[in-house]
Amino acid sequence: LECDHKEIAMDWKGFQRFYIDLKLPLMFIRGSQGILVCGYFDINTFDTTGEAAALVRGVNTFDDMLKAKVKCVSAAAAKLGVEEDMKGQEALELLR
């Protein structure tokens, strides 16, 4: 059987990637305008601090984060055009 897993082409310039190995990985990708986070985070905290953040769930790799649909966005991220149900990669381009 052939594996149909293809990595998404992504220009990582301007992003910082963080990965903490826990039972499920804690991951986030930071751009100059905001941050894409995994399900460990609470969007309400980003609203409290006025920071732009988008949350994706069910991810184990950075590639998964790019493919996953955004589940929650902070008010500041929404002002940058980030919307629920867009792909993580689309959200990151707005947070670059």
Side-chain angles (χ1 to χ4, degrees):
L1 291 172
E2 287 189 32
C3 183
D4 192 30
H5 176 77
K6 294 180 184 176
E7 286 196 19
I8 294 176
M10 177 71 183
D11 174 10
W12 291 107
K13 185 178 180 182
F15 291 109
Q16 293 176 292
R17 292 180 281 177
F18 299 89
Y19 182 99
I20 299 171
D21 192 20
L22 301 172
K23 287 185 181 181
L24 293 174
L26 186 154
M27 299 181 298
F28 59 98
I29 304 168
R30 182 178 180 192
S32 65
Q33 300 289 318
I35 188 168
L36 180 67
V37 301
C38 71
Y40 274 105
F41 293 84
D42 183 352
I43 286 296
N44 293 317
T45 303
F46 293 101
D47 278 331
T48 299
T49 60
E51 295 170 292
L55 181 141
V56 293
R57 290 196 174 98
V59 295
N60 291 303
T61 67
F62 293 118
D63 198 49
D64 289 348
M65 291 183 80
L66 299 178
K67 294 176 189 174
K69 287 188 177 182
V70 171
K71 299 297 182 186
C72 302
V73 298
S74 68
K79 287 180 183 175
L80 294 173
V82 180
E83 299 176 355
E84 290 182 13
D85 292 328
M86 71 173 26
K87 299 279 185 177
Q89 185 174 17
E90 295 171 284
L92 276 176
E93 290 302 333
L94 296 170
L95 301 171
R96 183 178 286 280

